[in-house]
C-alpha cells in the first residue's frame, strides 16, 4: 500500500511540476521552438525580457498589486478573524458565510462581475481596481490562516492582559498581535503569492495596466516566444518562494510549540 | 472585623436566562484569606470575575475599599488574578511576563526590570528569568504567575483554582508557599477552588456556594463541625448524615428518630420536624460512644497515616469512620465484618431540614 501511495504521490507531483520544469529548461534553450533534443544553452530570452520596457511595467504593476493586496487582505482577514474569535452576535453565521464566499465562486464569474461593476462607476482599468478585486479574492485566505492561529490561544490570555492593566487596544497590541504574528506574516506571503499569480480577474479589470500574467498571455497570443518560459519561470520562482516562506512560518511555529 | 476591604451587597449575575450568582452578600476583611468553594457551576468563578471586573454584576453593589466597583473596567482595577490556566504570555520570557503589569502602568524599563527580578528572586526562580515560559516546569510556571500578579503590590489577590493543574505533591508545596506569602504580605487573598482540602488547609474563612447562592460562610472548623445545610454537610465530605424526624425536645437536647434508631443530639427543634444528625467521620468510634448502631465494613481508603473505612448500615445507609492506620487491626475493621459504631452525643450535630 505504501509503495502504491509513493508512486501515486510521485505521479501527482510529476504532473504538477513537470510542465514547470520543462518551461524552466526551455527558458534556457537557444532554439525558438520547444523541441528535443535541446539545441544549446542561452540566456537570450532573459536578456530580451529584461530589455523590454513592457515587461518592467508589468512587473512593477504586479509588485504593487501583490504587496498592496497582501497588506489590505491581511488587515481585513485579521479583523474578521478576531471578530469571529471574540464576539457572538445575531447573524454571525451569515456574516462568516459572506466573508468566506469569494473562493467558491468561479473566477470568470467574479472577473465579469468586477468588470461589470467597475466600468460604470469609472473604476475600471486602474492599478487599484486590480488591488480591490484581488483583495476580495484573497481576504478569505488571510481570515482562515489567522483564525486558525486564534484557535490556539488560551482564552484567558487577553483577559489576563486587561487584568494586569491593559486597555482593550493595549491588549490587542501587546497580546493578540504578538500571538498571531506568525499567522499574520504567513498570510502576507500567501496572499501576495495568490495575487502575484492571478490571471483571470487581472486580465478583465487591468485594462492597460497589465500585470505579469496578463503580459505573458499577450505575448503568447502573438507568437510562440520562449520569452514566455523565462517570465513564467520568474513568476513561478517568486510565487513559490512566497508560499514556501508562508508555510515555513507556520511549520516552525508549530514545531516550537510542540517542543 | 474593621472596615472590610471587599463587600458584596445582594449581588446578582445573569447570563441571558441563567442566573450564575443570586443575591450574594459577603464581607471580606483586609488581610484575610478567603476561599470560595463549591461544585462546578456554583458561581464561584463568576464571583471572582466580578471582583476583577471581567463580568459586571446585573444588580447589587460590589465595593472595594469603600469604592463602588460595578462600572470600573478591569484594566483600571488593581485586582490581579492567578488563572487556572496560568495564562502566561507564551511569546514573552519569565521576566517579561512579570514586568507586564508594571509596563501597563508606565513604569520605566530599568525600574520594572529590577522589581520583576526582586519578585522572581523571592519566588526562587530568578535563574529562569530569561527562559521562555513554555520551557518551564509546572511549579516554576506557577511561581512566574504568582510573581506577575504580585509585582504591582496589590491589596487584593484573586486566585482561580491555581493549583488544579499541578501534581499532588506540588499542590502541598504550593499551598505552604501561598499561605506563607499571604501572611508575610498581609494582603487579602480570595481563592476559588473546588477542593475542600486546599480551602481548609489555607483559608481563614471559607464561603461555600451552591447553585449561585452562598450556602455558608465560616471558618473551616465551623463549616466542618457545624454545617448549616445538608448540601454543606455532604460537600465538605467525611460526614455521616442520618436523616429522620424529631420525636422529643427537652432543654436544648432533641431526640431524632432515624431508620437506624433514635439518637440524641444537642439543639433545638419542635417535635415532628424533619431533621438529620451529622457526625463527622473522625468523631465516629468503633465499639464505643453514647449512641450506637451496627454496620458492615465495605472498603477502606488510605490517606497516609489515616484510614477512612466505609461501612453500610442495615438499611443501606453509607457510613464513614476515620481512624489511625496503626489502630486498624485492633479495631477489627476488616472488610465484610459487622462492627458496632457509636458517637458521643456532644459530637453529633443537628441539621434541621430547610422547608422546601
Amino acid at each position: 500500500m505504501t509503495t502504491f501511495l509513493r508512486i501515486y504521490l510521485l505521479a501527482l507531483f510529476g504532473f504538477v511540476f513537470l510542465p514547470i520544469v520543462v518551461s524552466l529548461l526551455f527558458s534556457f534553450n537557444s532554439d525558438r521552438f520547444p523541441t528535443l533534443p535541446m539545441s544549446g544553452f542561452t540566456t537570450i530570452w532573459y536578456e530580451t525580457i529584461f530589455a523590454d520596457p513592457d515587461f518592467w511595467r508589468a512587473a512593477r504593476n504586479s509588485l504593487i498589486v501583490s504587496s498592496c493586496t497582501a497588506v489590505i487582505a491581511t488587515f481585513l482577514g485579521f479583523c474578521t478573524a478576531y471578530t469571529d474569535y471574540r464576539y457572538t452576535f445575531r447573524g454571525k453565521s451569515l456574516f462568516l458565510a459572506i466573508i468566506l464566499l469569494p473562493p467558491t465562486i468561479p473566477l470568470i464569474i467574479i472577473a465579469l462581475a468586477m468588470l461589470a461593476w467597475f466600468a460604470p462607476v469609472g473604476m475600471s482599468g486602474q492599478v487599484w481596481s486590480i488591488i480591490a478585486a484581488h483583495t476580495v479574492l484573497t481576504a478569505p485566505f488571510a481570515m482562515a490562516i489567522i483564525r486558525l492561529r486564534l484557535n490556539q490561544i488560551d482564552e484567558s490570555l487577553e483577559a489576563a492582559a486587561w487584568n494586569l492593566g491593559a486597555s482593550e487596544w493595549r491588549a490587542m497590541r501587546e497580546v493578540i498581535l504578538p500571538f498571531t504574528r506568525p499567522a499574520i506574516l504567513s498570510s502576507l506571503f500567501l496572499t501576495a503569492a495568490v495575487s502575484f499569480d492571478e490571471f483571470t480577474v487581472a486580465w478583465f479589470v487591468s485594462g492597460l495596466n497589465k500585470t505579469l500574467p496578463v503580459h505573458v498571455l499577450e505575448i503568447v497570443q502573438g507568437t510562440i516566444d520562449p520569452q514566455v518560459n523565462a517570465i513564467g519561470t520568474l513568476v513561478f520562482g517568486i510565487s513559490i518562494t512566497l508560499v514556501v516562506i508562508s508555510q515555513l512560518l507556520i511549520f516552525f511555529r508549530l514545531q516550537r510549540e510542540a517542543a | 472585623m474593621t472596615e472590610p476591604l471587599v463587600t458584596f451587597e445582594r449581588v446578582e449575575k445573569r447570563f441571558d436566562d441563567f442566573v450564575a450568582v443570586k443575591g450574594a452578600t459577603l464581607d471580606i476583611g483586609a488581610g484575610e484569606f478567603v476561599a470560595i468553594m463549591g461544585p462546578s457551576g456554583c458561581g464561584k468563578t463568576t464571583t471572582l470575575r466580578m471582583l476583577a471586573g471581567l463580568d459586571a454584576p446585573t444588580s447589587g453593589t460590589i465595593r472595594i475599599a469603600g469604592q463602588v466597583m460595578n462600572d470600573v473596567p478591569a484594566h483600571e482595577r488593581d485586582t490581579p488574578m492567578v488563572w487556572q490556566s496560568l495564562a502566561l504570555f507564551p511569546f514573552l520570557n519569565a521576566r517579561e511576563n512579570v514586568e507586564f503589569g508594571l509596563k501597563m502602568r508606565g513604569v520605566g524599563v530599568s525600574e520594572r526590570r529590577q522589581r520583576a527580578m526582586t519578585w522572581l528572586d523571592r519566588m526562587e526562580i530568578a535563574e529562569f528569568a530569561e527562559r521562555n515560559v513554555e520551557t518551564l516546569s509546572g511549579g516554576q510556571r506557577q511561581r512566574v504567575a504568582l510573581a506577575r500578579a504580585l509585582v504591582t503590590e496589590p491589596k487584593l489577590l484573586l486566585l482561580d483554582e491555581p493549583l488544579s493543574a499541578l501534581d499532588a505533591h506540588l499542590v502541598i508545596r504550593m499551598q505552604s508557599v501561598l499561605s506563607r506569602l499571604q501572611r508575610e504580605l498581609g494582603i487579602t487573598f480570595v481563592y476559588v477552588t473546588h477542593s475542600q482540602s486546599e480551602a481548609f488547609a489555607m483559608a481563614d474563612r471559607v464561603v461555600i456556594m451552591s447553585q449561585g447562592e452562598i450556602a455558608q460562610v465560616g471558618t473551616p472548623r465551623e463549616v466542618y463541625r457545624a454545617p448549616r445545610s445538608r448540601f454543606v454537610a455532604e460537600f465538605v465530605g467525611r460526614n455521616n448524615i442520618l436523616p429522620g424526624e424529631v420525636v422529643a425536645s427537652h432543654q436544648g437536647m432533641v431526640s431524632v428518630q432515624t431508620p437506624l434508631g433514635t439518637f440524641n443530639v444537642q439543639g433545638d427543634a419542635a417535635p415532628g420536624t424533619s431533621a438529620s444528625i451529622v457526625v463527622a467521620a473522625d468523631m465516629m468510634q468503633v465499639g464505643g460512644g453514647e449512641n450506637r448502631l451496627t454496620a458492615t465494613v465495605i472498603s477502606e481508603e488510605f490517606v497516609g497515616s489515616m484510614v477512612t473505612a466505609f461501612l453500610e448500615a442495615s438499611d443501606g445507609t453509607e457510613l464513614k469512620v476515620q481512624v489511625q492506620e496503626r489502630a486498624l487491626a485492633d479495631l477489627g475493621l476488616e472488610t465484610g465484618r459487622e462492627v458496632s459504631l457509636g458517637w458521643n452525643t456532644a459530637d453529633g450535630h443537628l441539621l434541621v431540614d430547610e422547608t422546601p
Side-chain angles (χ1 to χ4, degrees):
Chain A
M1 194 60 203
T2 45
T3 327
F4 171 75
L5 276 179
R6 245 175 237 156
I7 293 168
Y8 177 78
L9 203 64
L10 274 175
L12 187 73
F13 278 122
F15 277 110
V16 173
F17 286 107
L18 268 180
I20 297 165
V21 172
V22 167
S23 158
L24 184 141
L25 288 178
F26 281 112
S27 76
F28 292 105
N29 186 20
S30 59
D31 197 349
R32 169 169 281 273
F33 297 99
T35 49
L36 289 169
M38 296 204 283
S39 41
F41 179 84
T42 180
T43 55
I44 182 117
W45 311 119
Y46 288 91
E47 284 158 31
T48 317
I49 59 170
F50 287 151
D52 176 7
D54 270 1
F55 167 80
W56 286 111
R57 252 196 306 280
R60 208 199 59 185
N61 283 340
S62 275
L63 208 67
I64 294 172
V65 167
S66 63
S67 45
C68 290
T69 299
V71 171
I72 301 171
T74 300
F75 174 75
L76 290 177
F78 175 83
C79 293
T80 46
Y82 183 75
T83 306
D84 177 37
Y85 159 74
R86 174 79 191 279
Y87 301 99
T88 44
F89 49 89
R90 267 186 61 173
K92 183 172 166 179
S93 28
L94 185 69
F95 167 78
L96 289 177
I98 290 173
I99 281 172
L100 296 173
L101 196 60
T104 66
I105 302 171
L107 279 177
I108 188 77
I109 306 286
I110 290 204
L112 279 168
M114 287 284 176
L115 186 64
W117 162 246
F118 283 160
V121 295
M123 278 175 59
S124 178
Q126 314 285 332
V127 170
W128 49 274
S129 33
I130 316 175
I131 296 174
H134 278 184
T135 301
V136 172
L137 282 182
T138 54
F141 294 111
M143 146 89 182
I145 292 174
I146 296 168
R147 187 66 188 87
L148 273 177
R149 180 63 183 155
L150 281 172
N151 261 350
Q152 302 168 333
I153 201 168
D154 168 1
E155 277 185 43
S156 324
L157 226 52
E158 201 178 12
W162 305 333
N163 180 248
L164 291 166
S167 63
E168 296 224 7
W169 283 111
R170 196 81 200 266
M172 166 72 72
R173 206 171 76 214
E174 301 278 350
V175 173
I176 300 292
L177 282 180
F179 187 87
T180 46
R181 192 169 54 212
I184 289 173
L185 290 174
S186 174
S187 151
L188 282 173
F189 286 109
L190 190 75
T191 50
V194 172
S195 162
F196 199 81
D197 267 358
E198 201 286 325
F199 163 72
T200 317
V201 176
W203 188 73
F204 271 86
V205 300
S206 62
L208 294 174
N209 292 296
K210 295 175 290 187
T211 58
L212 274 181
V214 178
H215 182 61
V216 168
L217 182 86
E218 294 196 345
I219 298 172
V220 172
Q221 277 175 329
T223 50
I224 294 175
D225 191 332
Q227 273 188 66
V228 172
N229 291 330
I231 301 177
T233 302
L234 288 176
V235 171
F236 175 75
I238 291 171
S239 297
I240 200 77
T241 308
L242 292 173
V243 172
V244 165
I245 292 173
S246 161
Q247 289 301 305
L248 286 179
L249 281 168
I250 296 176
F251 179 72
F252 280 123
R253 183 69 216 177
L254 288 180
Q255 263 206 332
R256 248 178 62 196
E257 271 166 21
Chain B
M1 198 191 307
T2 53
E3 182 74 358
L5 180 70
V6 176
T7 59
F8 282 79
E9 223 177 276
R10 295 189 310 281
V11 172
E12 188 147 308
K13 177 63 185 175
R14 291 169 187 277
F15 296 100
D16 298 325
D17 297 340
F18 176 68
V19 186
V21 176
K22 326 178 189 170
T25 296
L26 176 69
D27 285 350
I28 298 173
E32 208 181 1
F33 195 137
V34 169
I36 304 177
M37 55 191 280
S40 45
C42 72
K44 56 189 192 296
T45 297
T46 305
T47 305
L48 198 73
R49 288 176 61 89
M50 285 194 285
L51 264 181
L54 298 167
D55 283 324
T58 312
S59 65
T61 313
I62 297 176
R63 288 193 179 81
I64 299 179
Q67 193 198 343
V68 176
M69 299 303 280
N70 289 31
D71 299 321
V72 178
H75 69 274
E76 284 170 19
R77 304 182 181 207
D78 195 11
T79 51
M81 177 131 115
V82 180
W83 302 74
Q84 182 167 18
S85 67
L86 300 185
L88 295 177
F89 302 122
F91 41 85
L92 301 178
N93 66 29
R95 174 180 53 75
E96 291 164 336
N97 262 282
V98 178
E99 280 182 26
F100 193 90
L102 298 171
K103 189 176 171 191
M104 294 308 115
R105 281 167 176 74
V107 177
V109 176
S110 61
E111 189 193 338
R112 68 177 190 240
R113 170 180 287 243
Q114 182 222 323
R115 281 169 70 179
M117 286 312 294
T118 308
W119 269 100
L120 286 168
D121 197 37
R122 181 163 190 173
M123 299 309 299
E124 297 165 2
I125 45 168
E127 57 189 300
F128 305 116
E130 303 302 317
R131 284 264 294 273
N132 183 326
V133 286
E134 285 173 332
T135 65
L136 299 180
S137 73
Q140 290 160 349
R141 289 159 56 83
Q142 188 81 57
R143 286 160 189 264
V144 174
L146 269 171
R148 182 178 75 172
L150 289 167
V151 73
T152 54
E153 287 162 20
K155 289 196 181 65
L156 175 61
L157 181 70
L158 309 177
L159 303 105
D160 182 14
E161 310 220 17
L163 306 184
S164 57
L166 294 183
D167 295 340
H169 69 283
L170 271 176
V171 170
I172 307 286
R173 262 243 307 280
M174 285 311 294
Q175 277 179 10
S176 68
V177 169
L178 285 171
S179 293
R180 207 184 61 223
L181 209 55
Q182 194 265 341
R183 272 199 314 275
E184 287 172 5
L185 297 170
I187 67 173
T188 305
F189 277 30
V190 180
Y191 189 103
V192 159
T193 181
H194 64 267
S195 152
Q196 182 221 3
S197 65
E198 280 177 26
F200 281 20
M202 295 183 284
D204 300 321
R205 280 197 306 159
V206 294
V207 177
I208 297 181
M209 293 186 70
S210 161
Q211 297 181 327
E213 287 178 282
I214 294 179
Q216 191 166 354
V217 182
T219 63
R221 165 174 286 272
E222 283 166 6
V223 170
Y224 187 53
R225 293 297 182 213
R228 252 190 5 218
S229 65
R230 188 177 172 113
F231 170 80
V232 175
E234 278 173 354
F235 186 74
V236 297
R238 304 276 178 263
N239 271 321
N240 296 292
I241 303 169
L242 306 170
E245 190 187 304
V246 175
V247 287
S249 176
H250 181 64
Q251 287 181 343
M253 184 73 73
V254 297
S255 298
V256 179
Q257 187 182 33
T258 77
L260 295 170
T262 302
F263 306 113
N264 291 328
V265 63
Q266 287 174 342
D268 201 12
T273 318
S274 58
S276 306
I277 295 178
V278 180
V279 184
D282 58 330
M283 293 297 183
M284 261 313 175
Q285 302 169 19
V286 180
E290 296 160 12
N291 301 283
R292 298 278 188 112
L293 50 82
T294 56
T296 311
V297 181
I298 301 293
S299 64
E300 288 153 3
E301 182 187 288
F302 286 81
V303 190
S305 61
M306 298 298 283
V307 177
T308 304
F310 294 88
L311 302 93
E312 197 179 84
S314 52
D315 70 333
T317 306
E318 190 191 83
L319 298 166
K320 296 163 218 132
V321 185
Q322 204 169 48
V323 294
Q324 293 279 330
E325 194 271 333
R326 59 188 150 78
L328 197 61
D330 297 342
L331 295 171
L333 283 175
E334 292 152 24
T335 304
R337 238 177 102 168
E338 198 175 74
V339 295
S340 160
L341 293 181
W343 68 94
N344 290 331
T345 301
D347 294 336
H349 172 70
L350 176 69
L351 195 65
V352 178
D353 290 358
E354 309 100 283
T355 38

